[in-house]
């Protein structure tokens, strides 16, 4: 994780140079209606966002060869799309130890409405359970 934070500025610059997109750094973004949110690695214009991963060469090769983006990052990327309402999210994989033309991999991810609907239902269910537990605890007299 430390390596990722250290290399994130280099990855962002490489992405900006390759794509011409300027990444705006932001903090936590709240969902417009629910008590949830996300922390994007950056936003692009009015429509996009970025998720940056700094990886070792073997992971970079696997990601490039598989195409798309790794399934373990789907919740994070789709969650950001859901919370921000953006139209796309660029998954960025960066590995500075690779040959120059393989150091940066970018895959544009559109929102997956079915995934986001399931996520919305599960998060709403969880928040209701938290409210119920809180209310129960507040009723307990010591």
């Amino acid at each position: 994780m430390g390596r990722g934070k250290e290399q994130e500025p280099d990855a962002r610059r490489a992405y900006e140079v390759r794509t011409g997109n300027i990444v705006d750094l932001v903090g936590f973004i709240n969902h417009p209606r629910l008590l949830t949110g996300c922390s994007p690695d950056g936003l692009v214009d009015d429509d996009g966002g970025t998720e940056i991963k700094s990886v070792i060469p073997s992971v970079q090769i696997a990601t490039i060869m598989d195409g798309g983006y790794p399934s373990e990052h789907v919740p994070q990327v789709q969650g950001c799309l859901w919370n921000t309402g953006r139209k796309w999210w660029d998954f960025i994989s960066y590995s500075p130890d690779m040959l120059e033309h393989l150091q940066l991999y970018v895959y544009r991810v559109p929102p997956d409405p079915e995934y986001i609907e399931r996520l919305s239902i599960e998060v709403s269910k969880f928040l209701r359970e938290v409210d119920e537990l809180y209310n129960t605890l507040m009723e307990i007299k010591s």
Side-chain angles (χ1 to χ4, degrees):
M1 195 153 146
R3 176 185 170 171
K5 289 293 180 196
E6 181 182 301
Q7 294 178 352
E8 190 171 304
D10 295 335
R12 187 173 31 261
R13 277 191 294 280
Y15 169 81
E16 290 176 333
V17 167
R18 178 175 298 168
T19 66
N21 293 332
I22 302 301
V23 178
D24 293 320
L25 300 179
V26 296
F28 189 82
I29 296 176
N30 291 303
H31 186 277
R33 293 178 316 280
L34 298 174
L35 185 62
T36 185
C38 64
S39 296
D41 287 336
L43 298 178
V44 179
D45 296 326
D46 294 329
D47 294 333
T50 61
E51 182 57 43
I52 300 170
K53 301 298 181 191
S54 182
V55 300
I56 60 175
S58 60
V59 172
Q60 183 77 339
I61 290 167
T63 301
I64 291 169
M65 297 305 293
D66 290 345
Y69 69 117
S71 61
E72 64 263 26
H73 301 300
V74 170
Q76 186 176 23
V77 171
Q78 291 297 325
C80 283
L81 284 161
W82 172 51
N83 278 284
T84 64
R86 299 258 163 165
K87 295 179 183 173
W88 54 265
W89 215 259
D90 279 348
F91 175 81
I92 301 161
S93 183
Y94 180 71
S95 185
D97 299 326
M98 298 287 294
L99 295 171
E100 187 175 343
H101 72 286
L102 298 173
Q103 289 178 355
L104 182 72
Y105 171 80
V106 179
Y107 182 79
R108 179 145 303 169
V109 181
D112 178 339
E114 292 175 6
Y115 186 94
I116 289 173
E117 178 63 22
R118 288 191 312 272
L119 180 61
S120 175
I121 290 167
E122 291 300 316
V123 168
S124 295
K125 179 182 171 185
F126 171 75
L127 292 173
R128 280 192 306 276
E129 291 171 0
V130 169
D131 283 344
E132 290 170 9
L133 177 60
Y134 174 81
N135 291 334
T136 300
L137 291 172
M138 295 310 292
E139 291 173 5
I140 296 173
K141 307 240 188 291
S142 356

